[in-house]
Amino acid sequence: MDTTSTLFAIFALLAMSAFFSASETAFSGLSKSRLKVMAEEGNKKAALALEMSQDYDKLLSTILVGNNIVNIAMTSLATVWFTTILVSGGATVSTVVTTVMVLIFGEITPKSLANKAPETFAMGVAPLLRLCVVVLTPVNWLFSLWKGLMNRVVTVEEDRVVDGEELLAIVSEAEREGGIDDVESQLIQNAIEFGDHNAMEIATPRVDITAVSEDATREAVERAFAETGFSRLPVFKGTIDNIIGILHQKDFLVHKDWHKGIQQPVFVTETMDVGTLLKQMQRNKCHMAVISDEFGGTAGIVTMEDVLEELVGDIWDEHDERIEPVIHEGDGIVSISGDLVLDEMMEELEIRYDDQFEAGSVSGWVMEVLKTIPSKGDSFVFADYHFEVTEVSHRRVLRIKAYPTGDRVKQNEEN
């Protein structure tokens, strides 16, 4: 074989090495969901690439066998050629040159290019790669037998379950890379964390419930609807701990005797997770549920709007008084609503803490830390913050302020 033919063969084998290396990266990093969408739109190459990716073990075996064959052939051919033109040291030169060429042009470069657009590259190489799979079918069959034997000899438990933390990491990565925007990212994260909250965390507490007595006059009930702007009101007998039903404004207007419009209430527990709560409300076709405490009294009420807000964020209507749960006032000072969920406050302030507190809200947490009914001006230090109670109403903390101290101030200055 003359020099021209030898060099042509070496570079052809190098190109095949790059082809197999890039194919491996493309098929290992592609998104099957994207290929499925393109295949459903009639893209035949996407359909072929998707079909081949379904049996990735067979495909990988083909790629590895093909890559090793062309690399060995190229190395052997290069060694023969270099030893022919160089009397001494030909094998050494051949080893150095082929190693550098394979690393740069057969591995690093093609894999880097394929990694940038794996789906596009996979669709481009799918027809030729399918031919390689057919040609190397006998070899793949032998390797499948070997794999079966190894699986019997060596037993490895596969753990491919993706937990919530991994999903959140995937979503964050997709947002950083521009695959989804911040709104989509937040919606997906809310959906993943949906079941982590319980009914009481999103409920209107007992002290904030607006309800009407079954003994109330029609005029009093009408006034309650008008003043609150609510479309539904709980109805109690004797005390609010004995809620006997839910009155819809539409039913109130239809029935002359408004008591006929009272519907049976749905009762749930304080610890019921939000996902189960949503299913129960859907099953009972209700938009409001009553939360019972451990003593059978009323702990609060929760509405379908409260549940949906866990997914899509706050939903404001013309009757809502907009209160920002977290207000950054500058210099690291943060004003926080007492109704905010404790975990959300800790996340907002970037405080790591163990679940050593029983309280679910900021207000309850302040009481738990102070071990007394808070008054305006009460303060304490926790983590890297100095907390001060700024608003109190009826023995309940409405708002606090967090002032950074020590290391936190230094950290904020560096950021």
Side-chain angles (χ1 to χ4, degrees):
M1 183 180 289
D2 58 20
T3 300
T4 303
S5 300
T6 302
L7 290 175
F8 177 80
I10 290 174
F11 283 111
L13 290 169
L14 181 63
M16 289 297 295
S17 176
F19 165 78
F20 284 119
S21 296
S23 298
E24 180 184 357
T25 299
F27 276 91
S28 64
L30 59 76
S31 170
K32 291 184 181 180
S33 58
R34 291 181 185 176
L35 287 180
K36 186 175 181 180
V37 171
M38 288 187 282
E40 290 174 349
E41 292 175 350
N43 190 320
K44 294 183 179 180
K45 288 187 176 180
L48 177 59
L50 179 62
E51 179 187 348
M52 295 177 67
S53 67
Q54 302 296 344
D55 191 357
Y56 183 71
D57 286 345
K58 183 177 182 180
L59 181 64
L60 181 62
S61 176
T62 299
I63 292 172
L64 294 178
V65 170
N67 206 7
N68 277 283
I69 289 175
V70 297
N71 284 341
I72 293 171
M74 179 180 61
T75 302
S76 302
L77 195 59
T79 301
V80 172
W81 185 68
F82 275 107
T83 53
T84 301
I85 63 174
L86 297 175
V87 178
S88 63
T92 302
V93 174
S94 174
T95 301
V96 173
V97 172
T98 53
T99 300
V100 173
M101 289 177 63
V102 169
L103 281 176
I104 297 176
F105 301 107
E107 292 288 335
I108 297 174
T109 301
K111 286 187 175 182
S112 298
L113 294 175
N115 191 50
K116 292 181 179 180
E119 294 82 15
T120 302
F121 195 90
M123 289 188 292
V125 301
L128 180 57
L129 202 56
R130 165 56 67 87
L131 177 62
C132 294
V133 171
V134 173
V135 172
L136 295 175
T137 296
V139 179
N140 286 328
W141 178 74
L142 291 175
F143 275 108
S144 66
L145 292 180
W146 174 254
K147 181 183 176 182
L149 176 61
M150 292 304 298
N151 287 338
R152 290 185 179 183
V153 175
V154 181
T155 304
V156 179
E157 292 185 5
E158 295 186 11
D159 184 13
R160 296 186 179 181
V161 178
V162 180
D163 59 18
E165 292 298 325
E166 290 182 80
L167 286 175
L168 289 173
I170 292 171
V171 173
S172 298
E173 182 67 23
E175 182 183 2
R176 282 195 298 271
E177 293 181 356
I180 57 177
D181 58 35
D182 56 344
V183 175
E184 294 170 328
S185 173
Q186 188 61 53
L187 184 60
I188 296 171
Q189 290 181 45
N190 289 344
I192 294 171
E193 297 173 341
F194 190 60
D196 294 340
H197 301 289
N198 60 48
M200 200 59 213
E201 289 178 349
I202 65 172
T204 300
R206 184 182 188 279
V207 294
D208 291 335
I209 295 176
T210 300
V212 294
S213 170
E214 67 164 353
D215 299 327
T217 63
R218 185 176 183 85
E219 290 73 20
V221 178
E222 185 175 7
R223 188 164 54 251
F225 276 119
E227 291 176 353
T228 62
F230 297 152
S231 60
R232 293 174 178 82
L233 290 173
V235 180
F236 63 88
K237 182 177 182 179
T239 70
I240 202 169
D241 283 317
N242 184 24
I243 293 179
I244 60 173
I246 306 295
L247 178 64
H248 195 292
Q249 189 175 28
K250 180 182 65 176
D251 296 325
F252 170 76
L253 296 173
V254 169
H255 298 284
K256 199 167 185 179
D257 179 6
W258 66 269
H259 296 87
K260 294 181 179 179
I262 299 176
Q263 300 177 4
Q264 286 292 323
V266 173
F267 293 95
V268 298
T269 63
E270 297 176 278
T271 56
M272 178 180 288
D273 67 82
V274 178
T276 304
L277 173 64
L278 176 60
K279 291 179 182 179
Q280 183 159 338
M281 295 180 78
Q282 289 176 320
R283 187 166 53 250
N284 290 277
K285 299 179 181 178
C286 70
H287 285 258
M288 179 181 288
V290 181
I291 301 178
S292 296
D293 61 24
E294 58 183 316
F295 305 107
T298 300
I301 59 170
V302 61
T303 65
M304 184 66 77
E305 180 179 324
D306 295 327
V307 177
L308 294 179
E309 285 182 336
E310 284 300 298
L311 283 173
V312 300
D314 291 332
I315 302 172
W316 303 98
D317 60 33
E318 60 274 19
H319 300 294
D320 288 336
E321 180 184 355
R322 189 181 182 100
I323 301 175
E324 293 294 340
V326 178
I327 302 173
H328 292 270
E329 299 184 349
D331 296 328
I333 302 172
V334 185
S335 177
I336 304 162
S337 169
D339 293 331
L340 187 67
V341 176
L342 180 59
D343 287 343
E344 293 181 8
M345 184 198 74
M346 296 297 186
E347 183 178 349
E348 182 70 30
L349 298 180
E350 297 181 352
I351 296 176
R352 293 184 179 180
Y353 79 110
D354 298 326
D355 297 330
Q356 70 264 40
F357 300 107
E358 296 182 2
S361 67
V362 171
S363 177
W365 173 69
V366 173
M367 294 182 183
E368 190 173 345
V369 173
L370 293 176
K371 295 182 173 58
T372 186
I373 302 298
S375 301
K376 184 177 179 180
D378 288 347
S379 62
F380 59 93
V381 174
F382 181 79
D384 295 330
Y385 284 93
H386 176 89
F387 293 91
E388 180 185 353
V389 179
T390 56
E391 293 182 42
V392 177
S393 177
H394 298 92
R395 301 177 299 280
R396 178 181 172 195
V397 177
L398 298 182
R399 207 156 192 94
I400 65 172
K401 278 190 179 181
Y403 301 87
T405 61
D407 295 337
R408 182 66 63 171
V409 173
K410 184 179 179 180
Q411 181 180 332
N412 290 341
E413 290 176 351
E414 291 175 352
N415 293 336

